[in-house]
Amino acid sequence: RRTCDVVIFTAPSFAAAAPLTLAAAHRRVDRSLLRQPADASGQPQVAVFVPVRDGAAFLERNISLLRRLDYPKDRLRILYGEGESLDDSAVLIDDIVERHAAGFGEIRRIEVRTGAAALPRARRWRAKWQYLRRGAIARARNALIAHGMDPRDDWILWLDVDVVDFPPDILRRLLAENQRIVAPHCVLEPGGPSFDLNTFLATSTPSKSEYARHLKAGLFQPPPDYWHRRHLHDLRYLDRVPLHGVGGTMLLVADVGPHGVVPPPHRDS
């Protein structure tokens, strides 16, 4: 159960979840465009993408928080990307859609299939499962982009279904940063450590041997106290910080290039 509050913005460098090497992703990003301030003036249209798998326990709280947002509801599109759940998530989302259809610019469920086996919450964080798990997460998010984007959308707000609290003005605060990628600080308890350790500021570059030491099951997975990174709980004394990596627990993203927010649909050889 996570909460998000403190506003943080990212530096002009972002590698989206995609089957690409980091170098290949960098070559396809127009960094000059990323450095330009984003225009969040007026009332931009925001698509809220909520990936769901076995999220039945959190769905009512999720829609309650979205309804509480201090933002024009006709400028919000709520897209639930649900698939392969073993609980009643799909039925509950359909009920939410029926009850709140008139309350937003749009609200609907998109069926998402990743082909990945379900993992119990207690085991899904183990290093050996991360390659397959993160690949499934990336496919689910890309499916939401492919089937949920509208040409009129100005921003996407990614929101994990099990984020159980955030202030009503959080969307306005994120937009007010006028940055193309913005992440708030998400924690399990107030004042506690950062939940999403994929959000970090790199303070130095490890040697090749040190980097290799933290390669586990095909992914770079350093420990939480990794010397070359600072996480948001290390930086609470700052109102905002540049970041070298962001997670997707809650993440606001603007259109950033010819592919928009969609990763290029191929892998470099």
Side-chain angles (χ1 to χ4, degrees), residues 7 9 11 21 50 64 69 142-143 161 180 183 198 200 208 212 219 257:
V7 174
F9 75 87
T21 65
V50 187
S64 175
L69 282 174
N142 285 346
V161 70
R180 293 184 177 277
N198 291 313
F200 65 88
K208 290 183 179 180
L219 285 178

Side-chain angles (χ1 to χ4, degrees), residues 124-146:
R124 61 199 256 189
W125 310 112
R126 294 181 183 178
K128 67 178 181 179
W129 299 116
Q130 295 312 301
Y131 188 89
L132 293 176
R133 177 176 172 269
R134 295 184 191 187
I137 291 172
R139 290 193 295 275
R141 290 178 180 270
N142 285 346
L144 260 171
I145 293 169

Side-chain angles (χ1 to χ4, degrees), residues 88-160:
D88 295 330
S89 291
V91 173
L92 292 175
I93 292 171
D94 289 344
D95 178 64
I96 287 171
V97 169
E98 183 176 354
R99 285 188 285 124
H100 299 289
F104 297 95
E106 182 180 6
I107 181 169
R108 62 187 170 98
R109 176 172 65 92
I110 297 171
E111 186 171 352
V112 173
R113 298 290 176 184
T114 67
L119 292 172
R121 283 183 174 266
R123 293 169 43 204
R124 61 199 256 189
W125 310 112
R126 294 181 183 178
K128 67 178 181 179
W129 299 116
Q130 295 312 301
Y131 188 89
L132 293 176
R133 177 176 172 269
R134 295 184 191 187
I137 291 172
R139 290 193 295 275
R141 290 178 180 270
N142 285 346
L144 260 171
I145 293 169
H147 301 289
M149 280 289 289
D150 185 288
R152 297 166 294 179
D153 291 335
D154 301 299
W155 299 80
I156 289 178
L157 178 67
W158 291 100
L159 176 63
D160 281 0

Side-chain angles (χ1 to χ4, degrees), residues 25-261:
H26 281 175
R27 288 196 297 271
R28 286 174 169 80
V29 172
D30 184 345
R31 297 192 183 188
S32 64
L33 181 61
L34 279 172
R35 291 188 181 97
Q36 297 174 11
D39 182 9
S41 60
Q43 304 288 353
Q45 180 163 292
V46 180
V48 183
F49 285 175
V50 187
V52 180
R53 183 169 184 175
D54 295 326
F58 306 103
L59 283 164
E60 280 299 329
R61 178 60 178 170
N62 173 265
I63 191 62
S64 175
L65 289 168
L66 292 174
R67 292 182 65 206
R68 199 178 67 173
L69 282 174
D70 177 21
Y71 199 80
K73 302 304 185 292
D74 63 336
R75 303 298 290 163
L76 293 176
R77 300 175 58 248
I78 314 300
L79 290 307
Y80 289 100
E82 188 282 329
E84 302 166 324
S85 295
L86 300 179
D87 62 12
D88 295 330
S89 291
V91 173
L92 292 175
I93 292 171
D94 289 344
D95 178 64
I96 287 171
V97 169
E98 183 176 354
R99 285 188 285 124
H100 299 289
F104 297 95
E106 182 180 6
I107 181 169
R108 62 187 170 98
R109 176 172 65 92
I110 297 171
E111 186 171 352
V112 173
R113 298 290 176 184
T114 67
L119 292 172
R121 283 183 174 266
R123 293 169 43 204
R124 61 199 256 189
W125 310 112
R126 294 181 183 178
K128 67 178 181 179
W129 299 116
Q130 295 312 301
Y131 188 89
L132 293 176
R133 177 176 172 269
R134 295 184 191 187
I137 291 172
R139 290 193 295 275
R141 290 178 180 270
N142 285 346
L144 260 171
I145 293 169
H147 301 289
M149 280 289 289
D150 185 288
R152 297 166 294 179
D153 291 335
D154 301 299
W155 299 80
I156 289 178
L157 178 67
W158 291 100
L159 176 63
D160 281 0
V161 70
D162 56 352
V163 175
V164 298
D165 201 18
F166 48 80
D169 66 346
I170 194 164
L171 178 54
R172 289 190 182 276
R173 291 167 63 187
L174 295 174
L175 288 168
E177 294 298 320
N178 287 320
Q179 300 293 325
R180 293 184 177 277
I181 304 166
V182 192
H185 188 198
C186 298
V187 296
L188 291 177
E189 58 185 26
S194 304
F195 171 80
D196 197 336
L197 299 183
N198 291 313
T199 300
F200 65 88
L201 169 69
T203 57
S204 56
T205 303
S207 64
K208 290 183 179 180
S209 60
E210 184 177 3
Y211 181 88
R213 188 164 73 246
H214 297 299
L215 286 174
K216 301 175 183 178
L219 285 178
F220 181 62
Q221 301 185 59
D225 58 352
Y226 188 53
W227 176 250
H228 300 282
R229 292 181 177 181
R230 296 294 181 270
H231 298 102
L232 298 189
H233 59 250
D234 300 313
L235 304 165
R236 280 195 170 101
Y237 58 94
L238 298 172
D239 291 330
R240 58 180 68 168
V241 295
L243 298 171
H244 293 94
V246 291
T249 302
M250 178 181 276
L251 185 68
L252 184 70
V253 183
D255 192 340
V256 293
H259 292 286
V261 293

